[in-house]
Amino acid sequence: MTHSDRLLGHAFLAACLAVTSALADDNWGDTPYVQTPINVVERMLEIAKVGRGDYVIDLGSGDGRMVITAARKHGARGFGVDLDRRLVALANRNAARAGVADRAVFYQRDLHATDISPASVMSIYLLPEVNLMIRHRLLTTLKPGTRIVSHDYAMGAWPPDYQEELAAPGKKVGVGQRSKIYFWVVPGRAAGRWRWSLAPDGKPVDFSLSLNQNFQVIEGTLRSGARSARVESRLVGETIAFAATLDGVKYEFSGRIFNHAIDGKARVSRGDKAQELPWSATRVEIWDPRHLALTLEQTLKEMN
Ligand SMILES: C[S@@+](CC[C@H](N)C(=O)[O-])C[C@H]1O[C@@H](n2cnc3c(N)ncnc32)[C@H](O)[C@@H]1O
């Protein structure tokens, strides 16, 4: 986060406190109540590709607009939590009015004490420092492949998989009535040493891949016999794909990680000749992804 982002964050907080001071009570949380404009809610749900099978959890749910819109427009289910009991009551009334009270429920609960494991989609509109405080829990509690969508604030060193800025008519905070949307997919775990064999021309060739991981970013070395090549790629949940050229042969691997195995396919091409083969890899050493070794103190320093 840049210095100007921080200043904007603090300006945001000050502006919010002014807007919401009339509502403040003993249960007020870290992040004040500010609504996400409805066009931004709709775009966030679109970016997260929310659908019928999804379970959406909104941490700090305000008047319930995120989960209610997910239920009403996309057929999803889910819940929201907020510290403010009046907002929780309002959100439950809004869900009933929208005819989705059976699929969108709101609880008065601290987001830090909320079980988020059932989410397939997580939405947040929290201050940047709160995003950093919950980041480790999002990365370790949510299933790989869970989508996270955040209004206005990023997650420090965790690079978004997608981001955009859009007009937010009627937005009461920030500059120029504009909003940012950040989107991440919770990465699986790929770090370690993997082994497999391929027989492109009927002759088996052994491969070994050493992979480091920081969030969804993976990098390492692919080896076969005396040859080696650098590999750089990004996971999308548990989906892994990378390419490398060894001795004039291009290898493109794509598959899905399941515990200590990968299943997928390999495309092997030399010149204009290409073939596709099944690809099964086994993890023979497991390493911790770098981002999981960070303490909260180190994570919060990413604000600077
Ligand atoms: C910026 S508002 C977002 C409201 C809604 N999600 C939206 O986008 O319109 C943040 C909300 O988080 C709630 N909140 C702040 N700290 C919280 C905490 N520790 N646990 C639960 N809710 C909290 C506030 O009461 C407020 O309603």
Side-chain angles (χ1 to χ4, degrees):
M1 164 167 301
T2 63
H3 184 60
S4 62
D5 282 344
R6 279 181 63 216
L7 285 179
L8 269 179
H10 291 134
F12 166 87
L13 179 60
C16 297
L17 286 171
V19 169
T20 57
S21 58
L23 288 175
D25 69 13
D26 291 346
N27 289 334
W28 209 252
D30 295 331
T31 309
Y33 177 49
V34 184
Q35 294 171 342
T36 298
I38 208 69
N39 73 303
V40 179
V41 169
E42 285 174 354
R43 186 66 191 133
M44 287 168 78
L45 295 171
E46 239 172 66
I47 288 172
K49 294 195 169 69
V50 172
R52 225 157 240 296
D54 276 315
Y55 197 85
V56 180
I57 297 181
D58 189 23
L59 294 181
S61 45
D63 67 0
R65 53 186 56 206
M66 192 62 73
V67 184
I68 292 170
T69 310
R72 194 172 54 76
K73 287 192 87 171
H74 301 274
R77 290 178 309 130
F79 71 82
V81 296
D82 205 290
L83 283 181
D84 188 293
R85 66 179 184 287
R86 287 166 303 179
L87 287 172
V88 171
L90 173 65
N92 280 318
R93 279 202 304 278
N94 287 344
R97 231 178 265 140
V100 295
D102 56 333
R103 285 180 289 129
V105 185
F106 299 90
Y107 305 103
Q108 185 184 9
R109 195 172 291 163
D110 187 342
L111 64 90
H112 299 288
T114 298
D115 177 12
I116 56 171
S117 59
S120 61
V121 175
M122 184 94 221
S123 70
I124 46 177
Y125 183 20
L126 301 167
L127 288 175
E129 49 268 48
V130 183
N131 281 2
L132 291 180
M133 284 167 74
I134 64 172
R135 190 178 78 188
H136 184 85
R137 198 154 65 93
L138 298 179
L139 281 157
T140 52
T141 311
L142 296 173
K143 294 175 282 296
T146 303
R147 290 98 79 202
I148 301 172
V149 68
S150 170
H151 182 193
D152 269 346
Y153 294 111
M155 290 269 184
W158 184 5
D161 292 292
Y162 177 76
Q163 71 184 81
E164 72 176 40
E165 196 180 310
L166 73 167
K171 192 175 180 189
K172 299 214 170 55
V173 297
V175 183
Q177 301 202 333
R178 295 193 69 76
S179 280
K180 286 183 179 156
I181 299 176
Y182 296 91
F183 173 77
W184 300 261
V185 180
V186 174
R189 293 196 187 188
R193 204 154 59 78
W194 298 84
R195 270 201 201 140
W196 66 92
S197 292
L198 282 184
D201 298 309
K203 246 189 356 195
V205 185
D206 294 331
F207 292 86
S208 147
L209 173 68
S210 305
L211 272 188
N212 293 309
Q213 178 179 354
N214 197 27
F215 303 102
Q216 71 274 53
V217 179
I218 51 173
E219 47 88 20
T221 307
L222 177 69
R223 289 194 178 81
S224 181
R227 297 152 304 158
S228 67
R230 194 165 164 70
V231 165
E232 280 175 359
S233 188
R234 282 183 172 218
L235 299 173
V236 180
E238 287 175 319
T239 302
I240 184 169
F242 58 90
T245 301
L246 294 171
D247 232 6
V249 182
K250 183 169 183 195
Y251 296 92
E252 293 162 278
F253 295 98
S254 58
R256 206 180 143 81
I257 302 168
F258 183 73
N259 291 329
H260 300 302
I262 299 174
D263 266 316
K265 59 186 187 200
R267 188 181 153 83
V268 182
S269 35
R270 184 196 290 269
D272 54 6
K273 220 181 98 199
Q275 57 180 307
E276 208 168 273
L277 302 159
W279 174 44
S280 298
T282 305
R283 179 157 33 198
V284 291
E285 276 177 39
I286 182 161
W287 306 336
D288 277 339
R290 281 192 212 122
H291 62 271
L292 295 184
L294 294 172
T295 62
L296 179 58
E297 199 184 351
Q298 287 166 328
T299 304
L300 288 173
K301 283 198 182 131
E302 292 171 23
M303 291 284 299
N304 297 318

